[in-house]
Amino acid sequence: MTTRDEELLARVREMRERGSGPKQIAKALGLRPAQATALVRRVAEAALANIAPDERPVVGCWVNAGWSAGLDMAKAPDWAAADPLGQEPDPGTGGFAQILLARQERASRVTVTGFLVDVYCLGVKNVTDPEAMGSGSLTTYVPMYYSAFDHRPLPIGVEQAQTIVHDAVAYARGLGFEPAGGFADAAVHLGAPPGDRPVIGFGRDGKPFYFSGSYDNPREMVQTLERTCGPDNYDYVAHL
């Protein structure tokens, strides 16, 4: 980068901080509109590069409908009301909250991160590693990510996503289960939940409920619940 380029970027950065738009910048610096727009974009990208992943602007955040079924949502009534499917006796979601978060990466790109959360017992069972893509790709990526569900995903705030993920992890750890590999790296993009967040009661109808998955060791899982919860304080469906 030449000295002239550095000086121009510095001027553009100063003018953007004062609220000037590309047209005003072009006129003030004697640039073509396209040149000014390109410089504004470079300034924005440089600013984002210095921002921690969990502080970058949220482009979108979603969870599957029915995620709250079986949970105690008495202290989170607004979140419960936004999930009408969660009031049905058997919405077919199996105690899973599948969360997808998209944050701004650069002017025309986003980073998406996904979490599959067992809200009844195991916490985070799987993560989708952070992936950068063009902003326009979200229109096809989001439906694909939720293709296993019968209903469209629900848009939610990032604070709700942070609460579901981190508090489910804490609940699972209390039962003796750690989150899936890669969780720490993905959580950097999610960020920590606020201190004054609503409280969600995890477990199905107030008790841990383990449903064995394809890659689980069911006997080991049930033995862990027996040790941490005690007899008759949990439910499970598994072939031992």
Side-chain angles (χ1 to χ4, degrees), residues 14-216:
E14 291 173 2
M15 294 186 71
R16 288 296 288 165
E17 289 174 352
R18 295 199 299 267
S20 299
K23 290 183 179 180
Q24 294 170 301
I25 292 172
K27 183 177 181 180
L29 302 183
L31 302 171
R32 296 193 306 274
Q35 288 178 302
T37 299
L39 288 169
V40 166
R41 185 179 297 114
R42 287 174 62 182
V43 167
E45 290 176 355
L48 277 173
N50 295 322
I51 297 176
D54 64 333
E55 294 179 357
R56 294 173 183 173
V58 174
V59 176
C61 190
W62 302 266
V63 68
N64 58 285
W67 72 272
S68 64
L71 304 184
D72 181 357
M73 302 293 293
K75 296 182 179 179
D78 292 342
W79 292 351
D83 181 23
L85 195 62
Q87 309 305 314
E88 297 187 8
D90 184 15
T93 51
F96 285 109
Q98 185 164 297
I99 290 171
L100 184 66
L101 171 67
R103 288 188 184 273
Q104 195 75 50
E105 178 70 21
R106 296 198 297 274
S108 59
R109 293 183 68 77
V110 298
T111 296
V112 295
T113 312
F115 303 84
L116 179 63
V117 186
D118 176 352
V119 294
Y120 287 169
C121 185
L122 301 179
V124 173
K125 288 204 67 175
N126 193 21
V127 297
T128 301
D129 293 335
E131 178 183 353
M133 63 180 66
S135 301
S137 299
L138 277 178
T139 57
T140 55
Y141 187 86
V142 174
M144 180 186 69
Y145 188 75
Y146 287 96
S147 60
F149 297 91
D150 295 331
H151 299 267
R152 292 181 179 179
L154 307 171
I156 60 173
V158 66
E159 296 84 3
Q160 182 176 342
Q162 292 165 341
T163 299
I164 295 171
V165 172
H166 284 287
D167 288 3
V169 166
Y171 176 77
R173 279 178 168 152
L175 300 176
F177 305 111
E178 288 297 313
F183 170 70
D185 290 338
V188 169
H189 291 260
L190 179 63
D196 58 349
R197 60 190 180 275
V199 175
I200 298 172
F202 294 93
R204 189 181 72 170
D205 300 325
K207 295 172 64 175
F209 175 76
Y210 167 65
F211 189 92
S212 64
S214 303
Y215 303 102
D216 293 343

